[in-house]
Amino acid sequence: MKWRSPLSSSLFPLRSSNLHSRISTSTSTSKPLINPHSDVFSANCLADSHLKRGRIEDALHILDEIPQPNLVSWNLAISCHNHASQFDRSLATFRDLRSLGFQPNQFTYGSVLSACVASQRIDFSEQLYSLVLKNGFFLNGYVLTGLVDLFAKTGRFGDALKLFSEVDTENVVCWNALIAGGVRNGENLVALELFLEMVDGFCMPNGFTFSSVLNACAAVREFEMGRGIHAWAVKCNAGDDVFVGTAIVDLYAKCGDMYAAVKEFSKMPFRNVVSWTAIISGFSQKEDALHAIQFFKEMIHAKVEVNNFTITSVLAACSKPLIVNAVHHIHCWVLKNGVFMDFVVKNALISAYAKTGDVWMSEEVFKEAGVMESPNTWSAMISGLVQNNSFTKSIELFQKMFREGLNPDKFCIASILSVIDSTDLGRQVHSYVVKAGLVSDLLVGCALFTVYSKLDSIDDSYEIFLQMPERDTVAWSSMIAGFAEHGHSEKALFLFRQMILEKVRIDHVTLSSVLTAASFPQFLTRGKEIHAYALRLGLAPDSLIGGALVSMYAKCKSLISARSIFDGTLHKDQVLWSSMISAYVSNNLSEEAFLVFNRMLIAGGEVDRFTCSSVLGLCANLSKQSLGRQLHARVIRAGITHCLSVSSALVTMYSKCGSIDDSRKVFDEIESPDLITWTAMMDGYAQHGRGLEALEIFSMMKEHGVKPDSVAMVGVLSACSHNGLVDEGFLHFKSMSRDYGIEPELCHYACIVDLLGRSGRLKEAVDFIHKMPVKPDSLVWSTLLGACRVHGDVELGKVAAQKVLELEPTDSGAYISLSNMSADVGNWEEVVRLRSSMEGVGLKKEYGWSVV
């Protein structure tokens, strides 16, 4: 009997064969291990004994020597091949036994089904399923378990569920196969429902059941149910099982209860690599690098074999610059232990170095031999460059990837789309996405409509959103956020309503985005409705939503409601503190803002970039330099001086407090100033009458490749005005549309009027106003009025004042300027008349303020 025949092209040939001729063709030349004339039962028992001891070849040799094998012999042969992972031979043996006229039993079908599962032979399994139905083994628990397992492991969980529903069984193994199949196919909620149905039917779970349902609970964060199953497992004495123990640790880790996870981990009598990886992954999820590294060290000392998942988990925890040395140590360990060539490990190293800010080391790892063959590694490197704001390099690497003949995956496409700032490049990548068939992918679709939104093509963005075949919560939230950022509040609110009608899951991010859209006084009622909806969903206590609610009420001028939300949130995090401080700052309630800031410090809150920016802006407006210096010290201690928003606020604060040299010191320490920071420094010099330095900053900004915007050009024109550089001011004014594509606005025209007025060229200023392509506003005429006051031109001042009062009847400044000009030339009757006119229209002169 030859058990090693190859699998023929026909799966189930029904042909006759001479058994003795098959025996005579045996290639075995060694001495028979049994007497060929002994009984088949003894031979089968001996073969089974060898099989159980792992001596596969000896078992097959004994079976080869049986003159007239029975069905048990054939079943043992199939089991031998399965144990040796020779699944094609298992299927060939099954074909041979049928061709010789044997009728398979439940054990035959069970073993062959296992071979189909392991070899993923879908074609064979389809015919095998038909054979099971035909021969009446459909109701057999052993065969049914094999069929359920087969369908579940080949991606046909729906068929497995349907098959199981047609049979009434109390076989725990069959239930386990179905529940495990649900977990494997991502149907975790279905798996939990099956578990409840199983125990309702008085079928007692075992250790395998507990490990599967605990994994399901961990996947969907069903913490309370998981704790109940944990208690049940302990009661059934299944807690000592390594798989159950690992599932318990994984449940607590994924649900964020690391204290319980560590407690259960310490109780485990035996821990395998999966157990260690689960606890390390839990600390990684909590961004607790120190404990993740500590357990990784203990794992090495315990001499547990480390796999690539363990390494990627501990590297994922290393995401802060302060622990870059730990990444170096892990890198050395990886090299020493020979797992560096694993692409998964290599990708994790690239990402870890990028997260710690060491892009150079990321690039060094990327350049190692063999790395160019993996698109995933290119994706990791591009993502690392994006995270470190190396946008130009990331785009260059993306282009090089195409030249190397590699096709970027969806993760790479999503990363590169996040940094594209050119419509042309965005459309080129969009074309590739369509060509590569990735346009229907959820991740890529979200990245595509987000980039169009960022490039101010909100209509194109919405069109892509509508064309997406599948839209999850993230997609809806991103589109709502896009509408909100572009001032389309009505569309954002409409989309939110559609989201509710389509029963899409609403989360914290969605509510935060739609609350941003409702942050206008005219939408206060809508904002209150969304607040009520959040309360009904039970999401309102979340600090992210709390911060959005505070911001929404503050922008709608309903500070009482904002403060009520703030005071009602028990656990205030940094977002909520920052939101409340910003709310008071934006409503010019300085004292209240400082009080909340002090409360935050007393409560142990950290000074982050958002809080710093708000409070530094307050210090600048109130000229509180001493407080600003104290906050600067806290900024240095907190290590956030690299944040451009904070640096820009410091530059502005020192400038407005009269310390322009300190402002420049802060500016010089910034490695890569952005447009806002350049503009802040330029405005500082301009306001201090140091126009030449302001223009020098402008030249430096252009040399660094930073393109000015309309706000920056106001600073340039103001610098020219304060320094009397009339001709240079006009050159910069004309260059706005010619060189930078910036159409002059009323504020720019006012700067030119101020430039001419300060130089005493009042007639030219009037001519310039009359030639403006846009109608001058009160700012332009007020600027001319101020120049008339400086140069004592009362008649022209009256004209300018009249224009101001036509546009702004309640502007007391125009009356005051005219009154002062009249007083300067001794026309006191006019002064009295103007003061009387002010009183007649109900205007009062505002009090002057002085900061000592």
Side-chain angles (χ1 to χ4, degrees):
M1 180 177 179
K2 182 70 173 168
W3 304 106
R4 302 176 177 81
S5 56
L7 184 67
S8 68
S9 58
S10 176
L11 297 178
F12 300 129
L14 297 175
R15 55 182 175 79
S16 62
S17 175
N18 188 309
L19 181 58
H20 294 286
S21 68
R22 286 174 51 78
I23 297 172
S24 66
T25 60
S26 173
T27 59
S28 175
T29 58
S30 61
K31 186 178 179 180
L33 296 178
I34 64 166
N35 187 339
H37 301 287
S38 65
D39 61 281
V40 177
F41 175 78
S42 299
N44 287 342
C45 288
L46 185 57
D48 184 51
S49 176
H50 283 306
L51 173 60
K52 288 176 179 177
R53 286 183 288 175
R55 297 166 63 178
I56 307 298
E57 286 300 319
D58 288 342
L60 287 171
H61 198 169
I62 290 171
L63 294 171
D64 278 346
E65 298 298 329
I66 300 176
Q68 294 182 342
N70 59 15
L71 183 60
V72 175
S73 308
W74 287 97
N75 288 347
L76 283 169
I78 294 171
S79 295
C80 286
H81 291 312
N82 281 355
H83 278 79
S85 299
Q86 299 170 344
F87 303 112
D88 283 348
R89 290 185 178 181
S90 298
L91 302 182
T93 303
F94 177 74
R95 178 209 63 193
D96 288 343
L97 78 87
R98 290 197 65 251
S99 67
L100 293 173
F102 286 93
Q103 290 298 321
N105 62 11
Q106 67 267 30
F107 303 109
T108 317
Y109 286 123
S111 295
V112 178
L113 284 167
S114 297
C116 289
V117 171
S119 61
Q120 294 288 297
R121 286 293 301 273
I122 308 299
D123 52 348
F124 204 108
S125 63
E126 290 282 355
Q127 298 183 47
L128 189 63
Y129 177 48
S130 300
L131 201 60
V132 166
L133 292 176
K134 178 182 177 182
N135 292 335
F137 284 92
F138 173 65
L139 298 178
N140 182 274
Y142 189 68
V143 177
L144 178 64
T145 300
L147 285 170
V148 168
D149 193 47
L150 170 68
F151 287 137
K153 288 181 178 177
T154 53
R156 297 170 57 185
F157 180 67
D159 290 337
L161 202 60
K162 182 180 178 182
L163 175 66
F164 186 82
S165 65
E166 294 174 355
V167 180
D168 186 15
T169 180
E170 294 183 4
N171 187 334
V172 66
V173 179
C174 195
W175 279 100
N176 286 346
L178 189 63
I179 292 170
V183 176
R184 185 180 296 107
N185 287 272
E187 298 288 348
N188 296 289
L189 293 175
V190 176
L192 293 177
E193 289 176 7
L194 286 167
F195 172 71
L196 295 175
E197 185 180 340
M198 171 186 170
V199 295
D200 283 344
F202 304 103
C203 184
M204 288 301 295
N206 58 18
F208 190 90
T209 322
F210 287 129
S211 63
S212 294
V213 293
L214 283 166
N215 287 332
C217 290
V220 296
R221 306 299 190 268
E222 279 284 352
F223 188 48
E224 291 305 319
M225 184 175 181
R227 289 178 64 187
I229 295 169
H230 174 196
W232 196 354
V234 172
K235 186 178 180 180
C236 294
N237 295 320
D240 290 341
D241 183 276
V242 65
F243 298 106
V244 176
T246 300
I248 291 169
V249 170
D250 190 50
L251 167 73
Y252 286 115
K254 285 183 177 174
C255 291
D257 190 348
M258 289 309 299
Y259 175 80
V262 173
K263 182 180 177 181
E264 294 303 321
F265 180 80
S266 64
K267 289 181 182 178
M268 293 178 67
F270 173 74
R271 309 178 189 111
N272 60 14
V273 62
V274 182
S275 316
W276 285 95
T277 303
I279 197 74
I280 292 170
S281 179
F283 282 117
S284 175
Q285 181 181 306
K286 297 284 285 186
E287 298 183 359
D288 188 345
L290 295 179
H291 281 100
I293 294 167
Q294 177 188 335
F295 273 86
F296 181 64
K297 289 179 180 178
E298 291 179 12
M299 181 180 180
I300 294 171
H301 290 152
K303 297 183 179 179
V304 179
E305 184 179 353
V306 176
N307 62 21
N308 55 358
F309 297 108
T310 317
I311 297 168
T312 54
S313 294
V314 71
L315 284 171
C318 302
S319 58
K320 297 178 181 178
L322 295 177
I323 55 173
V324 67
N325 287 335
V327 181
H328 286 296
H329 290 312
I330 296 170
H331 190 177
C332 292
W333 187 91
V334 164
L335 291 169
K336 181 180 178 181
N337 289 273
V339 291
F340 181 66
M341 294 312 295
D342 189 302
F343 283 123
V344 175
V345 174
K346 203 171 279 191
N347 297 349
L349 278 168
I350 290 172
S351 298
Y353 278 123
K355 287 176 181 177
T356 58
D358 194 347
V359 184
W360 183 84
M361 276 303 300
S362 286
E363 292 176 310
E364 288 301 305
V365 175
F366 177 74
K367 292 174 185 176
E368 291 294 330
V371 79
M372 296 299 180
E373 300 175 4
S374 170
N376 291 336
T377 310
W378 285 78
S379 178
M381 189 66 248
I382 289 171
S383 297
L385 291 169
V386 169
Q387 289 168 9
N388 285 272
N389 299 321
S390 299
F391 301 147
T392 304
K393 271 189 174 182
S394 63
I395 292 173
E396 289 174 354
L397 192 62
F398 181 71
Q399 293 170 335
K400 184 179 178 182
M401 189 176 182
F402 282 102
R403 293 196 295 271
E404 294 288 336
L406 294 172
N407 295 323
D409 59 14
K410 61 181 181 179
F411 303 105
C412 189
I413 293 291
S415 292
I416 209 67
L417 282 170
S418 68
V419 301
I420 288 178
D421 58 358
S422 163
T423 304
D424 290 338
L425 182 58
R427 293 192 185 280
Q428 289 178 40
V429 176
H430 187 180
S431 299
Y432 170 78
V433 166
V434 174
K435 183 180 177 182
L438 294 172
V439 71
S440 60
D441 183 83
L442 187 60
L443 178 66
V444 175
C446 280
L448 265 177
F449 75 69
T450 300
V451 76
Y452 278 116
S453 173
K454 185 176 67 177
L455 296 171
D456 296 327
S457 299
I458 194 66
D459 292 334
D460 292 334
S461 176
Y462 188 48
E463 185 178 345
I464 293 171
F465 173 79
L466 293 175
Q467 291 174 357
M468 290 174 66
E470 180 185 355
R471 297 188 289 266
D472 65 356
T473 300
V474 175
W476 284 88
S477 300
S478 300
M479 194 66 247
I480 290 170
F483 278 135
E485 289 169 7
H486 287 79
H488 298 288
S489 295
E490 284 285 2
K491 291 182 178 179
L493 294 166
F494 170 78
L495 208 59
F496 179 67
R497 183 172 178 273
Q498 289 297 114
M499 190 177 179
I500 295 172
L501 292 174
E502 294 189 22
K503 298 182 179 179
V504 182
R505 185 177 64 87
I506 308 292
D507 64 5
H508 309 76
V509 179
T510 316
L511 287 168
S512 178
S513 299
V514 76
L515 284 168
T516 302
S519 297
F520 296 93
Q522 64 267 34
F523 297 118
L524 178 58
T525 302
R526 300 270 194 97
K528 289 181 177 179
E529 291 172 353
I530 296 167
H531 183 185
Y533 183 75
L535 287 170
R536 195 172 70 183
L537 290 179
L539 296 176
D542 179 83
S543 61
L544 177 63
I545 299 176
L549 283 168
V550 168
S551 180
M552 184 273 292
Y553 280 119
K555 290 178 180 177
C556 293
K557 308 299 180 184
S558 182
L559 282 172
I560 295 175
S561 297
R563 186 57 189 258
S564 177
I565 298 294
F566 176 77
D567 291 336
T569 307
L570 296 177
H571 302 290
K572 299 177 179 63
D573 68 351
Q574 204 58 46
V575 174
L576 197 59
W577 286 108
S578 297
S579 299
M580 195 66 245
I581 292 169
S582 298
Y584 281 131
V585 171
S586 61
N587 284 274
N588 299 317
L589 296 170
S590 308
E591 185 177 349
E592 287 83 352
F594 280 125
L595 286 172
V596 174
F597 179 64
N598 286 329
R599 276 188 60 192
M600 183 193 81
L601 297 178
I602 294 169
E606 296 182 2
V607 178
D608 66 358
R609 54 187 178 132
F610 304 106
T611 312
C612 274
S613 300
S614 296
V615 179
L616 283 170
L618 206 57
C619 294
N621 294 334
L622 298 176
S623 296
K624 289 183 175 289
Q625 187 174 163
S626 60
L627 181 59
R629 288 188 184 278
Q630 293 177 43
L631 195 53
H632 189 180
R634 282 186 172 272
V635 164
I636 295 171
R637 191 167 65 187
I640 54 174
T641 51
H642 65 282
C643 296
L644 289 174
S645 59
V646 176
S647 300
S648 298
L650 282 168
V651 168
T652 303
M653 185 273 294
Y654 280 121
S655 171
K656 288 189 174 181
C657 290
S659 299
I660 190 65
D661 293 333
D662 288 329
S663 182
R664 181 59 187 265
K665 285 179 184 177
V666 173
F667 178 81
D668 289 339
E669 291 174 358
I670 302 172
E671 186 175 347
S672 300
D674 63 356
L675 178 59
I676 296 173
T677 314
W678 285 104
T679 304
M681 190 67 248
M682 195 159 43
D683 284 342
Y685 274 130
Q687 296 302 320
H688 281 76
R690 294 165 67 169
L692 293 177
E693 286 96 330
L695 294 176
E696 180 187 349
I697 291 291
F698 181 63
S699 298
M700 289 171 60
M701 183 182 85
K702 291 191 293 184
E703 289 173 6
H704 281 76
V706 179
K707 184 180 177 181
D709 63 357
S710 61
V711 178
M713 292 309 300
V714 170
V716 174
L717 296 174
S718 296
C720 294
S721 176
H722 284 82
N723 223 54
L725 304 172
V726 178
D727 293 336
E728 191 165 352
F730 269 99
L731 287 174
H732 286 300
F733 180 78
K734 292 176 181 177
S735 72
M736 287 176 60
S737 57
R738 184 185 66 237
D739 298 336
Y740 310 118
I742 303 170
E743 290 301 320
E745 300 171 15
L746 286 167
C747 56
H748 302 108
Y749 289 110
C751 287
I752 295 298
V753 172
D754 185 55
L755 175 68
L756 294 169
R758 284 175 182 267
S759 301
R761 298 157 68 166
L762 299 177
K763 297 295 183 184
E764 291 181 44
V766 174
D767 291 339
F768 179 81
I769 292 172
H770 289 315
K771 292 177 182 178
M772 283 170 53
V774 292
K775 184 179 179 180
D777 64 353
S778 61
L779 175 64
V780 174
W781 288 111
S782 295
T783 304
L784 179 62
L785 178 58
C788 293
R789 162 77 194 284
V790 172
H791 295 284
D793 194 330
V794 180
E795 294 304 317
L796 187 56
K798 288 181 179 180
V799 175
Q802 185 61 38
K803 293 289 186 181
V804 172
L805 293 172
E806 287 177 5
L807 296 168
E808 296 286 345
T810 60
D811 187 345
S812 62
Y815 285 103
I816 301 301
S817 295
L818 272 177
S819 175
N820 290 338
M821 279 193 290
S822 300
D824 290 340
V825 297
N827 190 351
W828 297 104
E829 292 181 1
E830 183 66 14
V831 172
V832 173
R833 190 189 68 80
L834 288 169
R835 294 301 174 100
S836 299
S837 299
M838 285 182 66
E839 292 175 3
V841 294
L843 295 178
K844 292 183 179 180
K845 181 182 182 299
E846 293 183 4
Y847 295 107
W849 291 84
S850 175
V851 178
V852 180

